Amino acid sequence: MDFKGKGLTLNEVNPYVRSIKVLDKEFIRMRAREIRKELLQGVKKPYKKLIDVSSGDAHMAGMKPISFLRQVLAVCLYPELLHSDRFPSDVEQRAQRLLKNCEGGSLGSYSPPCGIVSIRRSVSEFISQRDGGVPSDPDNIFITSGGQDAIRCILKILVHGEGHAQTGVLMPVPSYSYFKIAVLEVGGAIVPYHLSEEQGWDMQVNELRRALQTARGHCSPRALYIINPGNPTGHVQSRESIEEVIRFAAEEKLFLLVDEVYQQTVFGEGSAFVSYKKVLYEMGPSYSDMVELASLHSVSKGFTGECGLRCGYVEFVNLDPEVKKCAIRLFEMYLSTSITGQIALDIMTNPPGHEDPSYPIFKAESQAILETLAHNARRVQETLDSLPGVSYQPVQGSLYIFPRLHLPPRAVEQARAEGMEPDRFYCSRLLEEAGVCSTPGCDVGQREGTYHIRLCNLVPLDTMEDMLDRLNSFHPRFMQEFS
């Protein structure tokens, strides 16, 4: 069909939308979907099923949901189940309480723009308990449709200006791939700072200072984005490192935007999650009363793993009251976060207690998920130790491992000849020949001349063993082919 002259043309599309580039991992995933169809059609492959370790979608990978959460959701969605005696009493009590706090007693209603009041209170209590009693005000908590929406809202509040006045946002390399897109979407400038791979992906203030000074030649750096525990790196910041970063932020008057969605998945020996808010509070009033902070969490990660329910929260610290009013007006434009997602958030932040009938099963299920994650991380590292041309930094938390590929020059040359980044070339071959879908490092950022892949550890044990067998078979062949 000829669309010429029929209406909107490409040149009339929003320039930002036109400039969005498809991430390399999306090409890998598109091909993975095609391979699944081919397998269903009986096309012969060296494998019978495809294994996807490209994302942190636990349920897609085959992990089972938490029973208590799904039972409460079921009753809330169909209240007739309250009269069935099919569920433990604490499930029914939780569902009744949650429904009572919904307008009209129904999940089909809108919620207040910043979230259901009782659930914001649950989040506040969770934060205070997590941080050893540090105060948390429900009025500073905004419930959002997932962590990505929280990031967008914060950036819309922060970013403005053009030229030298354009807001710059310091962003780690490597990093969450969609954060860069979110900054560009609102007209901000990306200010990259490199994590130190050789020091276990450590965040170093000297590198932050270098990035800041370089950026001041073309923009106005205003915010510092941090992911702790790290995606894709799997590192966990020490308290000392967090203190150094807070001092730097205070000195440079930077707004701290801290992505802490992996806080409940820390398993490395000697590692422990400490929130930026807790450290900030304990550093005393000269910091706790001055440094601006936004902290994110989400039901998509941790033992909850409910990516499809799309819910998270942001807690603001030291936000100016007039700015807060603007934030509330912004949230009012979104009308309401999914009520089903808010129920999942309530359960994540206020799970069954020791005396509740559902506690034994909840404890067993959540512990099994975390043990699976730790076991898989250990197994991946054991396998990588035996592979030629691969190095990695030990994983301490989150859902991923980010090994470095020391590819032969001929492999790099072949990738360039085919118009690909070398790690995308590797991932494409891994998909075609071994049926393993992974994420190339070029999508999340890396130092020039280095190549990585990101592998998700949160998959069932048998799936992980199958994936490792395939990687163990594919990788030496690939390296030998181009040696």
Side-chain angles (χ1 to χ4, degrees):
M1 182 182 294
D2 182 12
F3 287 96
K4 189 174 182 180
K6 299 289 186 181
L8 185 69
T9 66
L10 182 60
N11 288 335
E12 295 171 305
V13 171
N14 183 317
Y16 164 73
V17 176
R18 291 204 311 268
S19 70
I20 295 175
K21 296 180 179 179
V22 179
L23 295 173
D24 286 79
K25 69 179 179 182
E26 296 304 329
F27 290 107
I28 303 290
R29 288 176 178 175
M30 284 188 281
R31 177 57 187 147
R33 288 192 287 271
E34 292 173 356
I35 289 175
R36 283 196 182 95
K37 291 179 181 178
E38 291 171 3
L39 289 169
L40 289 173
Q41 294 165 355
V43 177
K44 295 296 183 183
K45 302 281 184 184
Y47 42 86
K48 294 183 178 180
K49 69 174 184 177
L50 188 139
I51 297 174
D52 193 338
V53 288
S54 67
S55 78
D57 188 339
H59 294 173
M60 179 193 71
M63 300 299 292
K64 302 300 181 185
I66 296 294
S67 298
F68 180 77
L69 191 155
R70 290 301 182 90
Q71 288 168 351
V72 172
L73 269 178
V75 176
C76 286
L77 285 165
Y78 190 61
E80 290 298 316
L81 291 172
L82 284 169
H83 311 297
S84 68
D85 295 325
R86 293 186 59 184
F87 299 121
S89 59
D90 56 335
V91 169
E92 296 178 355
Q93 291 164 5
R94 179 68 67 93
Q96 286 176 319
R97 177 175 67 77
L98 289 165
L99 286 171
K100 183 179 179 180
N101 289 303
C102 295
E103 295 293 334
S106 171
L107 267 60
S109 60
Y110 287 125
S111 81
C114 300
I116 295 172
V117 174
S118 66
I119 297 179
R120 292 168 71 192
R121 193 176 301 116
S122 289
V123 173
S124 173
E125 292 169 356
F126 161 80
I127 292 169
S128 184
Q129 183 178 20
R130 178 199 69 188
D131 292 342
V134 175
S136 176
D137 186 345
D139 286 343
N140 291 329
I141 291 164
F142 292 60
I143 296 177
T144 65
S145 295
Q148 181 71 8
D149 264 16
I151 286 171
R152 285 196 182 100
C153 288
I154 297 166
L155 291 173
K156 285 179 180 178
I157 294 168
L158 289 173
V159 173
H160 63 276
E162 297 179 352
H164 284 80
Q166 181 186 24
T167 299
V169 182
L170 279 77
M171 168 184 152
V173 177
S175 183
Y176 172 52
S177 56
Y178 290 107
F179 182 79
K180 180 178 181 180
I181 296 172
V183 174
L184 298 176
E185 180 183 16
V186 296
I190 294 292
V191 180
Y193 66 90
H194 290 274
L195 302 176
S196 176
E197 183 170 8
E198 293 74 16
Q199 276 72 48
W201 299 111
D202 189 30
M203 187 174 175
Q204 301 183 329
V205 170
N206 286 343
E207 169 62 10
L208 291 175
R209 190 164 283 115
R210 179 207 62 78
L212 189 73
Q213 295 303 324
T214 301
R216 281 182 171 150
H218 62 84
C219 70
S220 177
R222 179 68 184 90
L224 169 58
Y225 178 56
I226 299 153
I227 312 174
N228 180 49
N231 172 13
T233 58
H235 77 285
V236 178
Q237 262 190 291
S238 68
R239 183 190 181 90
E240 292 73 22
S241 174
I242 294 172
E243 288 179 352
E244 290 178 0
V245 172
I246 289 174
R247 291 190 190 98
F248 172 77
E251 175 188 334
E252 301 294 345
K253 296 181 173 56
L254 294 174
F255 188 106
L256 289 174
L257 202 174
V258 188
D259 190 334
E260 297 178 320
V261 301
Y262 299 100
Q263 62 186 262
Q264 292 169 300
T265 49
V266 174
F267 47 81
E269 186 175 349
S271 300
F273 171 77
V274 184
S275 77
Y276 264 75
K277 183 185 177 185
K278 177 179 172 66
V279 177
L280 179 64
Y281 183 85
E282 293 177 351
M283 288 176 70
S286 58
Y287 294 99
S288 61
D289 292 348
M290 300 298 295
V291 176
E292 297 168 298
L293 166 69
S295 169
L296 314 176
H297 197 7
S298 168
V299 302
S300 296
K301 308 306 175 188
F303 63 82
T304 314
E306 293 285 0
C307 297
L309 293 182
R310 310 308 306 139
C311 193
Y313 72 79
V314 55
E315 181 186 29
F316 289 107
V317 177
N318 293 326
L319 197 65
D320 182 279
E322 294 303 313
V323 176
K324 185 176 173 181
K325 290 178 183 178
C326 292
I328 292 171
R329 291 197 293 271
L330 177 62
F331 275 77
E332 286 174 346
M333 292 175 56
Y334 292 92
L335 293 180
S336 173
T337 297
S338 161
I339 304 296
T340 53
Q342 292 192 57
I343 288 172
L345 182 62
D346 181 82
I347 293 166
M348 182 187 81
T349 55
N350 183 22
H354 289 77
E355 305 302 321
D356 293 324
S358 296
Y359 179 77
I361 293 177
F362 171 84
K363 181 67 175 178
E365 290 177 340
S366 56
Q367 191 64 36
I369 290 170
L370 298 178
E371 288 174 357
T372 295
L373 181 60
H375 174 272
N376 285 346
R378 184 174 64 253
R379 286 290 296 118
V380 172
Q381 290 172 106
E382 289 171 355
T383 299
L384 295 178
D385 281 334
S386 68
L387 297 180
V390 177
S391 62
Y392 66 90
Q393 296 300 318
V395 180
Q396 299 169 313
S398 91
L399 310 183
Y400 314 102
I401 187 167
F402 195 56
R404 181 172 173 179
L405 304 173
H406 302 269
L407 298 175
R410 286 185 56 216
V412 175
E413 292 169 6
Q414 183 63 35
R416 302 297 188 200
E418 296 188 22
M420 296 185 194
E421 289 296 319
D423 36 24
R424 177 185 162 188
F425 176 67
Y426 180 94
C427 290
S428 295
R429 290 284 298 268
L430 180 62
L431 175 64
E432 295 291 345
E433 298 174 27
V436 175
C437 184
S438 57
T439 298
C442 55
D443 270 356
V444 295
Q446 53 197 350
R447 286 192 181 274
E448 187 174 353
T450 68
Y451 313 110
H452 300 77
I453 60 171
R454 189 188 75 168
L455 304 170
C456 179
N457 296 322
L458 193 53
V459 298
L461 297 176
D462 57 345
T463 300
M464 177 56 70
E465 291 303 321
D466 190 0
M467 190 279 289
L468 293 176
D469 286 344
R470 298 185 194 192
L471 181 63
N472 211 18
S473 175
F474 163 81
H475 181 83
R477 292 200 313 269
F478 178 91
M479 299 294 284
Q480 180 64 35
E481 178 182 345
F482 294 101
S483 64

